Amino acid sequence: MALNYYHIFKKVKEARKLVIKGITVAGSGHPGGSFSMAEILGCMYFKFLNYDPKNPLWDDRDRLVLSKGHASPGLFSNLAVAGFFAKSEMETLRKFGSKLQGHPDFKCPGVEFCGGSLGLGLSFSIGMALAARIDGKNHHIYTIIGDGESDEGQVWEAAMTAPKYKVDNLTVFLDRNFIQQDDYTERVMPLDEELVGDDISEMWKNAARWKVGDKWRSFGWNVLEIDGHRIEQISKAVNSALQTKGTPSIIISRTIKGKSVEHMEDNPKWHGVAPNSQMSPIIDLELDCQFLISPSIIAGDMMNLENEVKRASLARADFIHLDVMDGVFVPNKTFDHEKIKQLRPITPIPFDTHLMITEPVKHVKNYVDAGSDIITVHAEVCNESSFGEIHDILRSNSVSVGLAINPDTDLPQWSEKFIPDLDQLIIMSVIPGKSGQKYIESTHEKTQRIAKFLSEQKFDGLIEADGGVDLTNVESCFFDGARVFVGGSAIIGQKDVRSTIIEFRKKLMHARRKLLINKAHSLGGTDLVKKWIDLHEVGKKKTELLQIAQEAGFT
Amino acid sequence: MTEFADMRTVYGETLLKLGDENSNIVVVGADTTDSLKTKPFGKKFPNRFFNVGIAEANLVTMAAGLANEGKIPFASTYAAFLPGRCVDQIRNAIAYPSRNGKNGLNVKMVVSHGGLSVGPDGGSHQQIEDIAIMRVIPNIKVFVPADTVSVEKLTRLFTQVYGPCYMRLARSKTPVIHSKEQEFQMGKGIVLRDGSDCTIVACGITVSIALEAADSLKQEGISCRVIDMFSIKPIDSEILEKAARETGGIVTCEEHNVMAGFGSAVTETISETYPVLVKRIGVKDQFGESARDGEIPLLLEKHGITSIHISNAVKSIRSQTR
């Protein structure tokens, strides 16, 4: 089964927006810890958990215990998106008479544990897991604990108990965001090593300092360590935990507090504060502007594609872009599904397969079976019926659905009915067929026009810019409306792929900051621009934002 | 000749019988399963018995998780370490979670070593605050039985009535007071002696001391009603109001701090229904200390928990109300 990447990605975004909505209306709540576990919950509720929102107490459901209960908005928003109650109820968060209490409570359908007092959830989960074993039930218990919460001695009482009873129907996530209420965890009570200096990113960079996994390992747990914002890593770890018998598993998930809202990220202040309602439309836009980098490996050594996948993977690419050319639809030939199958074990990073082949409907299943996570086919070689068939094959295999158009084609009429359900639209900015071509300038105007049209058509996927994208034009592509960026010679063709991707991200970050400052200005003039910039306290963000504002004449 | 019996032994034997009758019953212990006599349950039902070691917070919360899934966990250790140590876990993991009209999770907390009569272990182990702690937590029912008959009946009742329950057992053997036929209901006291001049309400080991006092007062021509109030929450306000109206004064007895404990519960009830003078026999807001088994009466005497103190309280009420 493929990742169902876009499905989860969209749900995570929707849930994050609901968190902002709820907390802003309530005037209090915990955004930081809700966002650090957003991808984990997204994978749980929209990939792994078995549940029935119409029958929340169904006996055989999987259970998710949120032990770090203060992150309840994160849980509630997922329950709302999953259909346990109306999304509009998020606005009743913390209100008198609401089922959405300040901390998770049985008043809310779908909540499995009344959290709030920290350190209790793991013991409770062990009780649940043992009960399931006594009853011969096959459901699984998932528990999310916090790193600040791990100061509680009871966590370690439970940590000793679960391996003793071999509760392998229990999987724990440690939301390792490095921040607790007072300060960075490594200053309040180190879980890894004491933090020297002020730079929290030091903790991230230096894996030699990560000790918390050893603690759990020494207690007898199956320990998996991942980047807790990567859907593919979460997914891989959960699958591995589910296959581990005889001992419980813990997934140490390194996360960023406040992830996806730049001014909240890594700032201890946003542990438990509500954003000002003036800011929520800007934050909403920021959440809509998450971007992804998809290096195209054919720009590298065609004789050693394995190595190109490794390079992209080590460089922390978001996707691996696989250009399949058949020599018919395009003049060149690259590789087919057999090659993809060989490349698949190298990395869990989503395979973004771009089929430049004729009659894709005949072959698409091969590319599904080879391990693609996203498959994009060309509009030029599809019609309503064949694309409908492709769409169904992809959906039933949890593969995300993409449609591509060449520079000289526009979105065909027949595709419109698919737009609301489409995950990805590739707008080619070179004539497909080979790597290293120059970006066709008219694509900017075309992308802007299509982006506007798509948003009117309730498109909630992403536009992918493909062809000639490099550091000089990636920002303009972002402004056009593209959010996924394929890089061939500009990324894979470079010697240091990792630094190049970092450069791409910096450019895109700059573009996004610009967009948000424009938004702030349009909503509240220079006054709001100033307030927005002032929120960005951590690191050097503020300096860059001030510069952008100055250049725009907003100061 | 009064028969003495051990509460913990009866508790363990009752669990063993109940375990056969109801497969949802599970037992959780914290390195005191030998002492609490739950070990035989573990031998007979190894899959339904969990010893978590000296980790009471974990004990209580795991029991909550088991109860959440429909099990009836009996969580047992010493009084000093369960309510004394785990008030947060008891409150938030057991008492608070409520849904579909079920208030709290169905955990049965049965502890031994309550009160001063713990003896040799000393003040650290003599829990004199548990009634106070447990009765102020919403949804929890609190019981302090006087003898082994009560223990057996209440343990059985616990498996039949939904909700979090707390029961405090004594360490030492206790005289058998009730007949095997005696019925026990939650929220209903039992009149052991009728009388018209004053009422003594007692719980736990003080019930037999109260009976002694009533017997000696009878010699002096004072007729005392004696009530075994094993059910402290819910409390039998009817029986108390009747006693107040018919006998005009009440003496309460407990092996517990008189502040916020059993005497307080009785006083609260009486003051709202039929206010009469209430005198509380119990620990006067101080800690206990070691006393060897033979010396426990001396320790109780030091804290004013004897039949003589009860008699004096009765007389004092009578002199004040006349």
Side-chain angles (χ1 to χ4, degrees):
Chain A
M1 223 31 161
L3 262 183
N4 223 356
Y5 186 89
Y6 270 102
H7 176 67
I8 300 169
F9 179 89
K10 291 176 188 175
K11 300 287 186 191
V12 169
K13 182 168 76 179
E14 191 181 1
R16 274 203 174 97
K17 285 186 172 181
L18 283 175
V19 168
I20 292 295
K21 189 186 234 178
I23 295 181
T24 308
V25 175
S28 71
H30 294 77
S34 294
F35 283 1
S36 58
M37 63 170 188
E39 280 77 15
I40 295 171
L41 282 191
C43 288
M44 282 289 105
Y45 280 97
F46 306 105
K47 186 174 172 76
F48 287 103
L49 291 180
N50 265 316
Y51 57 86
D52 177 5
K54 299 271 173 299
N55 183 13
L57 293 175
W58 171 45
D59 253 2
D60 295 332
R61 72 195 186 279
D62 293 321
R63 273 81 161 156
L64 184 132
V65 168
L66 180 65
S67 188
K68 40 166 278 185
H70 51 279
S72 58
L75 175 63
F76 295 153
S77 60
N78 274 277
L79 292 173
V81 175
F84 283 91
F85 51 88
K87 290 168 196 164
S88 57
E89 285 199 50
M90 273 308 282
E91 291 186 44
T92 69
L93 181 70
R94 293 182 162 230
K95 196 171 154 51
F96 179 63
S98 170
K99 61 172 70 123
L100 306 184
Q101 296 284 299
H103 292 83
D105 194 292
F106 285 168
K107 289 182 179 75
C108 173
V111 167
E112 300 285 1
F113 167 70
C114 295
S117 178
L118 291 173
L120 273 56
L122 186 50
S123 301
F124 194 87
S125 305
I126 295 171
M128 286 172 135
L130 290 170
R133 178 193 292 170
I134 294 169
D135 294 338
K137 298 262 188 197
N138 288 322
H139 59 258
H140 203 82
I141 321 290
Y142 297 91
T143 311
I144 303 181
I145 64 171
D147 50 3
E149 181 184 19
S150 304
D151 297 348
E152 291 282 2
Q154 188 179 347
V155 169
W156 304 98
E157 294 181 5
M160 276 193 276
T161 307
K164 173 189 168 182
Y165 288 106
K166 301 181 169 51
V167 277
D168 50 16
N169 52 348
L170 169 71
T171 297
V172 176
F173 287 95
L174 170 63
D175 182 3
R176 181 70 173 116
N177 59 35
F178 294 94
I179 289 175
Q180 57 195 103
Q181 185 160 311
D182 263 358
D183 206 337
Y184 298 127
T185 53
E186 304 317 280
R187 270 204 211 128
V188 176
M189 183 53 65
L191 261 186
D192 286 332
E193 263 185 24
E194 199 180 339
L195 177 67
V196 189
D198 285 327
D199 190 359
I200 185 82
S201 67
E202 284 304 315
M203 293 308 303
W204 261 91
K205 285 181 211 152
N206 188 356
R209 299 178 64 167
W210 301 345
K211 302 285 162 61
V212 67
D214 295 342
K215 288 188 171 76
W216 287 88
R217 220 169 273 119
S218 75
F219 278 65
W221 287 65
N222 173 41
V223 178
L224 301 145
E225 307 204 31
I226 62 163
D227 175 342
H229 295 301
R230 291 271 186 161
I231 288 167
E232 72 278 10
Q233 290 193 26
I234 298 167
S235 186
K236 188 183 169 193
V238 173
N239 279 324
S240 150
L242 291 174
Q243 281 156 22
T244 302
K245 299 295 166 206
T247 194
S249 295
I250 180 164
I251 302 171
I252 310 238
S253 313
R254 272 164 244 290
T255 57
I256 294 172
K257 201 135 182 175
K259 173 74 178 175
S260 291
V261 179
E262 217 195 327
H263 69 264
M264 294 182 178
E265 285 185 2
D266 276 345
N267 187 347
K269 213 179 190 175
W270 288 98
H271 169 84
V273 184
N276 185 310
S277 61
Q278 268 186 307
M279 302 301 174
S280 47
I282 316 175
I283 296 173
D284 258 15
L285 180 62
E286 185 169 1
L287 292 172
D288 275 328
C289 290
Q290 307 298 311
F291 49 80
L292 301 159
I293 311 279
S294 186
S296 165
I297 56 166
I298 58 161
D301 180 1
M302 286 295 287
M303 302 311 289
N304 193 356
L305 289 172
E306 284 77 2
N307 191 46
E308 301 305 338
V309 172
K310 277 181 208 155
R311 289 173 74 221
S313 172
L314 287 171
R316 300 191 186 156
D318 297 303
F319 295 161
I320 308 283
H321 194 79
L322 301 167
D323 290 301
V324 177
M325 302 183 189
D326 63 355
V328 181
F329 177 69
V330 287
N332 277 0
K333 238 178 156 170
T334 51
F335 49 81
D336 64 7
H337 55 91
E338 293 295 344
K339 189 74 209 170
I340 295 178
K341 203 178 270 176
Q342 286 166 20
L343 299 174
R344 186 64 276 190
I346 300 172
T347 176
I349 293 179
F351 275 6
D352 177 20
T353 303
H354 181 179
L355 295 183
M356 285 168 269
I357 59 175
T358 51
E359 297 191 89
V361 67
K362 282 190 182 167
H363 310 285
V364 70
K365 188 65 180 26
N366 289 333
Y367 291 90
V368 168
D369 295 341
S372 304
D373 296 297
I374 304 152
I375 292 181
T376 301
V377 296
H378 267 264
E380 295 81 3
V381 283
C382 288
N383 55 34
E384 185 175 343
S385 141
S386 68
F387 188 76
E389 201 177 320
I390 289 170
H391 169 275
D392 294 347
I393 293 171
L394 298 185
R395 281 277 174 260
S396 63
N397 286 284
S398 300
V399 176
S400 299
V401 182
L403 185 65
I405 48 172
N406 279 337
D408 48 3
T409 1
D410 227 319
L411 270 180
Q413 190 80 46
W414 60 258
S415 70
E416 281 177 27
K417 67 176 269 202
F418 295 103
I419 288 174
D421 194 38
L422 202 58
D423 293 315
Q424 179 171 288
L425 178 75
I426 298 185
I427 301 177
M428 293 298 301
S429 37
V430 295
I431 308 287
K434 62 179 200 294
S435 182
Q437 302 177 66
K438 207 171 144 13
Y439 186 90
I440 300 171
E441 285 304 316
S442 61
T443 320
H444 285 310
E445 183 276 325
K446 181 183 176 184
T447 308
Q448 290 162 26
R449 180 168 47 80
I450 291 176
K452 186 165 177 286
F453 174 74
L454 289 179
S455 70
E456 290 159 6
Q457 302 291 312
K458 297 201 166 96
F459 173 67
D460 70 344
L462 299 181
I463 295 176
E464 182 170 287
D466 183 2
V469 178
D470 59 27
L471 286 169
T472 67
N473 60 19
V474 67
E475 281 198 69
S476 2
C477 294
F478 178 88
F479 289 122
D480 296 339
R483 295 292 175 262
V484 190
F485 304 90
V486 176
S489 46
I491 295 179
I492 288 291
Q494 304 300 306
K495 208 170 167 204
D496 186 346
V497 181
R498 185 157 173 186
S499 313
T500 308
I501 288 183
I502 291 171
E503 285 308 308
F504 263 80
R505 291 197 202 279
K506 274 188 192 157
K507 290 273 183 199
L508 288 164
M509 197 65 127
H510 184 261
R512 187 168 78 190
R513 286 168 174 165
K514 221 162 151 178
L515 194 75
L516 299 179
I517 282 182
N518 286 337
K519 177 80 178 179
H521 191 259
S522 73
L523 289 171
T526 50
D527 194 40
L528 191 59
V529 170
K530 187 182 179 304
K531 280 187 195 163
W532 175 254
I533 293 174
D534 283 342
L535 289 173
H536 298 73
E537 294 174 333
V538 173
K540 293 171 190 145
K541 297 167 189 172
K542 204 169 177 169
T543 324
E544 191 183 313
L545 286 164
L546 278 169
Q547 202 184 333
I548 294 170
Q550 261 160 17
E551 282 165 14
F554 293 161
T555 48
Chain B
M1 208 26 209
T2 317
E3 186 200 344
F4 280 76
D6 177 40
M7 287 185 174
R8 284 176 281 160
T9 304
V10 170
Y11 170 57
E13 288 167 359
T14 310
L15 278 182
L16 215 52
K17 279 182 222 152
L18 289 168
D20 260 333
E21 295 166 20
N22 187 340
S23 63
N24 277 329
I25 293 172
V26 298
V27 170
V28 196
D31 198 37
T32 50
T33 62
D34 211 19
S35 178
L36 267 294
K37 316 287 182 197
T38 56
K39 244 185 188 168
F41 185 97
K43 281 231 169 72
K44 191 160 182 197
F45 310 105
N47 298 328
R48 286 149 57 191
F49 177 80
F50 308 101
N51 187 344
V52 301
I54 308 163
E56 293 79 11
N58 193 33
L59 163 96
V60 164
T61 318
M62 259 175 68
L66 283 155
N68 189 62
E69 302 299 317
K71 301 292 156 210
I72 307 172
F74 280 78
S76 283
T77 186
Y78 298 149
F81 309 128
L82 207 143
R85 196 183 180 98
C86 303
V87 62
D88 166 45
Q89 287 79 6
I90 292 168
R91 179 186 188 272
N92 289 303
I94 295 178
Y96 184 77
S98 302
R99 63 180 156 205
N100 297 341
K102 289 179 170 177
N103 296 322
L105 292 171
N106 200 14
V107 178
K108 312 303 177 183
M109 293 162 275
V110 179
V111 302
S112 77
H113 290 53
L116 297 172
S117 63
V118 167
D121 282 339
S124 66
H125 279 52
Q126 293 162 357
Q127 176 91 59
I128 50 162
E129 304 89 358
D130 55 331
I131 298 172
I133 292 169
M134 297 305 269
R135 80 181 187 93
V136 297
I137 302 176
N139 297 336
I140 295 187
K141 298 183 176 78
V142 180
F143 304 90
V144 181
D147 71 351
T148 51
V149 175
S150 323
V151 170
E152 181 181 351
K153 300 266 173 141
L154 286 174
T155 305
R156 191 168 279 277
L157 200 54
F158 279 9
T159 64
Q160 293 157 356
V161 177
Y162 182 87
C165 293
Y166 175 73
M167 175 158 71
R168 176 214 246 202
L169 312 180
R171 184 185 74 94
S172 315
K173 285 186 177 174
T174 46
V176 178
I177 292 164
H178 294 287
S179 77
K180 287 239 180 292
E181 289 72 38
Q182 179 64 51
E183 260 190 60
F184 287 79
Q185 285 179 50
M186 294 181 175
K188 289 284 168 209
I190 297 171
V191 177
L192 293 170
R193 296 271 198 286
D194 205 2
S196 54
D197 297 334
C198 193
T199 301
I200 310 169
V201 287
C203 63
I205 65 156
T206 64
V207 173
S208 63
I209 303 173
L211 287 171
E212 246 176 69
D215 289 346
S216 79
L217 285 165
K218 200 175 179 184
Q219 307 288 317
E220 299 176 43
I222 302 168
S223 145
C224 278
R225 187 175 295 183
V226 179
I227 304 173
D228 176 0
M229 293 288 278
F230 62 90
S231 177
I232 295 176
K233 183 185 169 189
I235 201 158
D236 189 345
S237 54
E238 219 172 280
I239 210 171
L240 288 173
E241 185 188 342
K242 192 162 179 274
R245 186 180 292 121
E246 292 174 1
T247 70
I250 290 178
V251 174
T252 67
C253 315
E254 63 197 300
E255 200 197 349
H256 182 278
N257 196 339
V258 290
M259 296 175 76
F262 169 63
S264 301
V266 171
T267 309
E268 287 160 15
T269 311
I270 286 298
S271 69
E272 290 191 346
T273 51
Y274 197 90
V276 293
L277 205 54
V278 178
K279 295 231 177 232
R280 292 168 301 162
I281 299 292
V283 182
K284 304 288 188 299
D285 201 24
Q286 51 193 312
F287 289 111
E289 64 194 285
S290 283
R292 292 181 188 174
D293 281 342
E295 299 169 328
I296 291 172
L298 293 177
L299 176 61
L300 291 171
E301 190 183 351
K302 183 179 173 183
H303 289 270
I305 307 171
T306 65
S307 63
I308 295 167
H309 287 91
I310 295 172
S311 299
N312 288 341
V314 168
K315 286 175 193 163
S316 146
I317 287 180
R318 283 171 56 77
S319 67
Q320 279 177 263
T321 48
R322 220 166 255 163

